[in-house]
Amino acid sequence: MKLINTDGMAFIGPGSEWFWTAVSGIVLAVTFLAIYRQLLIARSASAFEQMHRIANDWDSELLARQKLEVLVALKEGVKPEQLPDGAAGFIRDYWDDVGGLVRAGHVDRRLVYQTLRAPCRGWWTTLAPYTHRLRVEAGDPGLSEHFEWLASVMTEMERAAGVTSRYADEDVLASTLDWRIQRTRGEIRVAEELRTVIVRPGSSNAPEMAHAEAEQRSAG
């Protein structure tokens, strides 16, 4: 019993066009799948690299100094809606930029959730009163809307995952203020130490070399 009747079929020469058309179609399909797979791999690698840069920016000395200024102001009794404009605005703009990238589909929200959901939620709680005041004063209800949106997305993702966190609890943030200040100062101290130039003792002829160099400079 024949499952496939090949009688009258030509694979080479006249009448074989159907066969080579089918082969070409298969080759094109395989090539397309290979290209699509490579694009997915490249996109994933790009997304991880971008998320790595975002996380590094958040951990940078520049942002640490802005965070410290806000935290110290809160420790000294400054009202949340009256935080220092420079530092508070810098942090708010950072998160608004991240939210904008996620909202536009350039950064996977799942990566942000895994890496930065705690600071995102915590800092929105910290800066929300300040942001709401600016919205009223500027007459711009959309100010930092991406930041607010991202914080709400992180909240929904935690809820969907059955995660109970206290990142956005005002009382918890207030009670851990001293610890947050200490940690941020530690981050700045480490960054400063990494920039420190360490001068180590040279070889035994180091004094002679230094003297020779001094003579050359004076002669020049």
Side-chain angles (χ1 to χ4, degrees):
M1 178 179 177
K2 289 186 177 181
L3 297 178
I4 300 177
N5 186 4
T6 58
D7 294 341
M9 290 185 178
F11 296 94
I12 299 176
S16 64
E17 291 82 2
W18 67 271
F19 174 72
W20 296 109
T21 300
V23 170
S24 299
I26 294 173
V27 171
L28 287 174
V30 172
T31 302
F32 173 78
L33 290 175
I35 293 174
Y36 180 70
R37 182 173 179 274
Q38 290 298 321
L39 288 174
L40 288 179
I41 293 174
R43 182 178 179 182
S44 297
S46 177
F48 276 104
E49 182 180 354
Q50 189 173 36
M51 191 63 226
H52 181 68
R53 289 198 302 268
I54 290 172
N56 281 347
D57 286 344
W58 178 248
D59 292 332
S60 68
E61 180 184 354
L62 177 59
L63 261 164
R65 292 188 180 277
Q66 313 306 319
K67 289 181 274 187
L68 181 61
E69 184 173 350
V70 170
L71 296 174
V72 170
L74 291 171
K75 177 67 177 178
E76 293 175 348
V78 174
K79 294 182 179 180
E81 62 271 17
Q82 299 295 335
L83 292 172
D85 286 317
F90 197 96
I91 299 170
R92 181 174 51 80
D93 289 342
Y94 166 86
W95 282 113
D96 204 44
D97 289 343
V98 176
L101 289 171
V102 175
R103 207 168 189 178
H106 299 305
V107 175
D108 192 333
R109 65 182 64 186
R110 292 171 297 181
L111 295 178
V112 178
Y113 176 83
Q114 293 170 6
T115 308
L116 294 173
R117 75 176 185 272
C120 177
R121 294 194 61 200
W123 278 97
W124 172 250
T125 299
T126 300
L127 298 179
Y130 169 78
T131 304
H132 292 319
R133 177 181 67 82
L134 291 184
R135 287 175 177 176
V136 173
E137 292 180 354
D140 182 4
L143 185 69
S144 292
E145 63 175 325
H146 299 316
F147 183 9
E148 183 174 18
W149 173 84
L150 184 62
S152 68
V153 168
M154 296 298 102
T155 302
E156 290 300 322
M157 292 181 72
E158 283 190 344
R159 185 177 295 115
V163 176
T164 302
S165 64
R166 305 171 70 189
Y167 304 136
D169 189 297
E170 294 182 6
D171 292 336
V172 171
L173 292 176
S175 65
T176 58
L177 191 56
D178 289 336
W179 172 78
R180 295 165 70 193
I181 291 174
Q182 182 180 1
R183 183 187 65 179
T184 306
R185 283 176 172 158
E187 293 172 354
I188 295 173
R189 183 173 61 255
V190 169
E192 290 175 341
E193 291 174 352
L194 290 174
R195 295 199 312 274
T196 302
V197 177
I198 300 176
V199 180
R200 300 186 183 277
S203 60
S204 58
N205 63 343
E208 291 79 3
M209 293 177 62
H211 180 70
E213 290 175 357
E215 289 183 344
Q216 290 178 359
R217 286 196 298 269
S218 62

